[in-house]
Amino acid sequence: MFPYKVFAGTNSLPLAEKMCAKLGCELGKCTCQKFSDGEFAVWYDESVRGCYVFLVQSTFPNADNLMELMLMIDAAKRASAYKIIAVMPYFGWARQDRKDKPRVSIGAKVVADMLSVAGVDRIITMDLHADQIQGFFDIPVDHLYASTVYIPYVQSLQLHNLVIASPDVGGSKRAQTYAKHLDLPLVLCHKTRARANVVSNMSIIGDVNGKDVLIIDDMADTAGTLCKAADLMIENGATSVRAMVSHGVLSGKAVDNIMNSKITELIITDSIPFDTARCPKVKVLSIADMFAETIRRVYNNESISTQYLV
């Protein structure tokens, strides 16, 4: 077997360190030198010739972290790495997965093409905004699900009047998967947007009176939708509302929105670093063990399907 090494981009160092602790290996050494105009250069401080190189990097904030990953891929290719695998727990631009109005770009496809051209051999990611984004790649994509760490946590809450909710119709498939696995009823929210990140109107489809509600979604950006849904459910008689999202982007006024809402708890993963001291309502569950096990199985050519709970 060719040896393998794990490296991390600047923003994903804490997560990569946890992965390496699980794998029982040292995190590879690389340097990112920044110039005063914002440009930066990347190089490896150790040989990667003939190695499987796993590059851990979530793309938030988007532009800089994506560009850093591109340069890491290129540097590994030029240093004669045997295989280059991009481990992207959070895949940015995934919301731009189709033409939903005239003369608009499909950002997810552009990013997929950029990664392929840079020289990556495989992508490992989690909870894409839309599953069909996997088809934008002409290389293998291992698509993991946060349900592996979330479902045991939901069961540990021991809420006997629990219902699963989707904050919009587009996320109903994801929420339905949880509801079916846990044998729980499903509630939907129907929303209309005035513009990006701004919800103009929302209504509930289903009964939440006297229920503990768990909202399932793939990401929370400004958390406006989640907060509006939580407040509306409390107004309709819900006992409590929790939200569980795979990627805690939490940009702009997200923390203020959460603190001022009726959300009891927001559960996120560490796909994107977040300091819980910023918001006591936020709980972070680690996906490091899941990704470390996936790296091990990919390296050993083993199936990863047994990792999926739903």
Side-chain angles (χ1 to χ4, degrees):
M1 291 287 290
F2 294 90
Y4 76 89
K5 294 186 177 183
V6 179
F7 296 89
T10 304
N11 199 45
S12 295
L13 276 170
L15 179 58
E17 287 171 350
K18 293 177 188 176
M19 292 182 193
C20 287
K22 175 68 174 179
L23 288 166
C25 67
E26 291 187 3
L27 182 63
K29 296 178 176 61
C30 62
T31 299
C32 180
Q33 180 184 23
K34 296 185 181 293
F35 302 99
S36 62
D37 65 347
E39 183 182 334
F40 48 85
V42 173
W43 64 86
Y44 296 96
D45 297 316
E46 57 189 86
S47 175
V48 296
R49 184 178 295 271
C51 295
Y52 277 80
V53 176
F54 292 88
L55 306 176
V56 182
Q57 180 75 312
S58 286
T59 59
F60 180 83
N62 291 307
D64 281 359
N65 286 297
L66 176 61
M67 190 63 190
E68 185 179 351
L69 177 59
M70 296 293 181
L71 295 180
M72 291 174 74
I73 294 168
D74 185 70
K77 180 177 68 175
R78 295 178 188 279
S80 301
Y82 175 63
K83 294 288 184 182
I84 304 168
I85 299 96
V87 182
M88 304 174 67
Y90 172 67
F91 182 92
W93 283 277
R95 284 173 286 186
Q96 301 178 45
D97 61 338
R98 65 197 184 282
K99 285 191 68 174
D100 55 356
K101 54 188 171 185
R103 299 174 296 282
V104 66
S105 65
I106 303 179
K109 173 59 175 170
V110 173
V111 173
D113 289 344
M114 290 169 66
L115 288 165
S116 297
V117 170
V120 75
D121 295 294
R122 178 184 289 268
I123 302 289
I124 302 175
T125 188
M126 181 184 78
D127 279 348
L128 291 167
H129 184 67
D131 289 348
Q132 62 266 25
I133 291 173
Q134 298 171 71
F136 292 174
F137 291 91
D138 292 324
I139 56 175
V141 176
D142 293 312
H143 187 208
L144 308 181
Y145 298 92
S147 56
T148 303
V149 295
Y150 276 167
I151 285 180
Y153 181 76
V154 173
Q155 293 170 332
S156 73
L157 294 174
Q158 296 184 341
L159 298 171
H160 302 296
N161 291 317
L162 187 63
V163 296
I164 302 297
S166 173
D168 52 42
V169 176
S172 60
K173 180 181 177 183
R174 181 181 293 104
Q176 171 63 26
T177 303
Y178 278 81
K180 182 178 179 181
H181 182 82
L182 295 167
D183 193 24
L184 295 171
L186 177 67
V187 172
L188 299 178
C189 293
H190 179 264
K191 69 180 181 183
T192 56
R193 287 191 182 274
R195 59 184 184 278
N197 294 129
V198 178
V199 178
S200 62
N201 186 48
M202 179 178 287
S203 57
I204 298 175
I205 304 172
D207 180 24
V208 296
N209 187 36
K211 306 291 185 180
D212 294 300
V213 181
L214 178 62
I215 302 173
I216 303 291
D217 208 357
D218 65 308
M219 64 184 293
D221 190 349
T222 63
T225 298
L226 290 179
C227 294
K228 192 174 183 68
D231 293 347
L232 184 60
M233 288 174 180
I234 292 294
E235 290 173 10
N236 280 266
T239 304
S240 68
V241 179
R242 289 172 173 80
M244 186 173 278
V245 300
S246 304
H247 309 294
V249 177
L250 302 180
S251 65
K253 297 182 178 180
V255 170
D256 290 338
N257 290 339
I258 293 164
M259 291 302 296
N260 294 326
S261 74
K262 302 295 185 181
I263 291 178
T264 303
E265 183 180 43
L266 173 63
I267 306 104
I268 63 175
T269 72
D270 54 356
S271 64
I272 298 170
F274 183 80
D275 182 4
T276 53
R278 291 175 53 201
C279 183
K281 286 187 177 183
V282 173
K283 181 178 181 60
V284 179
L285 301 181
S286 183
I287 52 174
D289 287 0
M290 178 177 70
F291 271 88
E293 179 62 16
T294 302
I295 288 173
R296 187 193 68 79
R297 294 188 186 196
V298 167
Y299 175 67
N300 290 315
N301 291 314
E302 297 175 5
S303 171
I304 67 169
S305 61
T306 55
Q307 291 212 94
Y308 303 153
L309 291 181
V310 296

